[in-house]
Amino acid sequence: MIRSVIRGTGHYLPARIVPNAEFAATLDTSDEWIVSRSGIERRHFAAKGEFTSDLATHAARAALENAGIAASEIDAVIVATSTPDYTFPAVATQVQAGLGITRGFAFDIQAVCAGFVFALANATGLIAAGQANRVLVIGAETFSRIMDWTDRSTCVLFGDGAGAVVLEGHPGTGANTDRGVLSCDLNSDGQYRELLYVDGGVSRNGQAGMLRMQGREVFRHAVEKLAATAHAALEKAGLSTDQIDWVVPHQANLRIIRGTAQKLGLPLEKVIVTVQDHGNTSAASIPLALSVANAQGRFKPGDLILTEAIGGGLSWGAVVLRW
Ligand code: UT7
């Protein structure tokens, strides 16, 4: 069988760093509230004229360099995003053009904060089916463009950024000792749309809209659903939580990250946490965290990594992979 192995990682963060204190100047909020409720200390915002495709292209270049693979060797580009440059074409085609790739195929996936997990699972399926052998999987967002700056309950939580991985098909034995993606578990339940959505869209009103969230309700679902999807993915791979070396969770809220780790019985030392520096970058958060941790040399060959995410939809899922 063919396994999807991560050959390289990369990320990009816009230059402008916005500390919590900046919000306290215009809103009834404080650094103390934001840090204690979310763990977020700062986030990056894209510059005027800097778009999701720019962030994604920078991250993709970094991942290709890290992998030692030329852009011309890429068969497919998948971008997970909810904040595309245009309604169409897909951001992935802009990235493809930016990298000078003129063959293969490119498309976007929209599963909000779970987007990267969904994209990784889809790329793995394409590789297993022989549709592509080297796939750039990117999470890229400019959530600063869909913030309601008068809503203190949401605008302090999100940030902009991009992360990318180069996936490559390698022969595996089928055993869970193989390198690469070992299992995926994807879920959605559309009855929860109103908990987290953007109040605009092409078909609705022809506008981009702004993010609306019932944070407390999303929180209530998060820990329980993330732990359940993690267990489901591990079970599919025939593995248990005590075999995990690293958790790379979606970075929405430190309390959710801690709560999920606790529910899984995993010590925090095994959890990659970047939310303090990036805020919630939606589909970009997992590949960003993967790339930051990889650059720090934290992953060793053979390490078992669990990624998990939940977001608007609701959509949630987990991927288990061996480094
Ligand atoms: O990535 C996609 C998934 N999204 C998430 O995972 C987000 C999930 N939710 C959360 O992370 C948390 O629910 C929040 C960080 C959004 C909020 O934390 P919370 O502990 O659930 O707070 P809360 O919503 O229950 O609000 C507590 C209080 C409220 O005041 P009252 O009603 O108790 O008087 C809010 O109005 O905090 C108030 N509040 C704020 N106060 C200062 C809300 N936002 C702010 C703010 N500064 N920025």
Side-chain angles (χ1 to χ4, degrees):
M1 74 179 300
I2 302 297
R3 295 286 194 190
S4 297
V5 173
I6 293 185
R7 275 285 307 267
T9 59
H11 67 273
Y12 175 79
L13 290 156
R16 184 176 164 216
I17 298 172
V18 178
N20 290 345
E22 264 194 46
F23 292 98
T26 54
L27 288 168
D28 181 14
T29 190
S30 63
D31 177 53
E32 193 279 329
W33 190 95
I34 300 169
V35 172
S36 65
R37 296 296 176 124
S38 73
I40 298 164
E41 294 169 23
R42 60 194 72 81
R43 75 287 290 141
H44 294 244
F45 284 160
K48 198 164 175 281
E50 192 174 38
F51 308 117
T52 296
S53 65
D54 298 317
L55 276 51
T57 306
H58 285 305
R61 280 210 184 92
L64 286 169
E65 194 180 322
N66 182 247
I69 285 174
S72 58
E73 297 175 273
I74 292 296
D75 305 315
V77 182
I78 304 177
V79 175
T81 188
S82 302
T83 46
D85 299 25
Y86 297 102
T87 300
F88 75 74
V91 172
T93 60
Q94 302 299 290
V95 174
Q96 193 195 27
L99 297 173
I101 305 173
T102 53
R103 62 171 198 91
F105 56 97
F107 64 94
D108 290 356
I109 279 185
Q110 204 266 65
V112 203
C113 298
F116 184 76
V117 167
F118 277 52
L120 202 54
N122 275 275
T124 298
L126 288 169
I127 289 172
Q131 297 283 328
N133 193 50
R134 292 199 179 106
V135 184
L136 258 172
V137 186
I138 305 163
E141 303 279 16
T142 46
F143 261 52
S144 64
R145 306 273 151 81
I146 51 166
M147 287 298 111
D148 176 351
W149 299 111
T150 64
D151 178 6
R152 66 176 183 173
S153 73
T154 54
C155 73
V156 302
L157 301 174
F158 294 87
D160 302 338
V165 304
V166 178
L167 274 190
E168 187 177 64
H170 283 251
T173 64
N176 63 20
T177 46
D178 284 348
R179 284 187 73 204
V181 173
L182 299 175
S183 65
C184 306
D185 183 65
L186 306 181
N187 310 267
S188 301
D189 190 343
Q191 70 176 312
Y192 296 118
R193 175 187 66 81
E194 289 197 356
L195 299 189
L196 177 52
Y197 69 106
V198 169
D199 64 2
V202 180
S203 182
R204 275 273 164 177
N205 58 9
Q207 289 170 13
M210 287 186 226
L211 183 143
R212 307 293 174 202
M213 179 167 73
Q214 296 175 36
R216 208 176 308 181
E217 285 304 303
V218 177
F219 195 112
R220 209 169 54 77
H221 285 279
V223 173
E224 178 212 325
K225 286 184 164 51
L226 288 172
T229 190
H231 279 302
L234 285 165
E235 197 179 317
K236 286 181 194 181
L239 293 162
S240 53
T241 48
D242 55 322
Q243 290 168 287
I244 292 173
D245 295 295
W246 297 103
V247 183
V248 186
H250 170 46
Q251 311 282 322
N253 185 319
L254 187 57
R255 287 156 58 213
I256 295 176
I257 292 171
R258 284 193 176 136
T260 308
Q262 197 174 9
K263 209 167 164 70
L264 293 172
L266 291 165
L268 267 183
E269 301 81 71
K270 291 188 172 183
V271 184
I272 304 296
V273 180
T274 56
V275 69
Q276 70 284 355
D277 295 327
H278 303 162
N280 183 347
T281 58
S282 192
S285 91
I286 288 175
L288 252 167
L290 263 174
S291 175
V292 167
N294 189 28
Q296 292 167 346
R298 297 177 82 175
F299 305 140
K300 302 279 171 289
D303 276 0
L304 191 68
I305 299 178
L306 166 76
T307 66
E308 30 90 339
I310 185 167
L314 296 174
S315 284
W316 66 102
V319 171
V320 174
L321 63 94
R322 198 174 291 287
W323 196 250

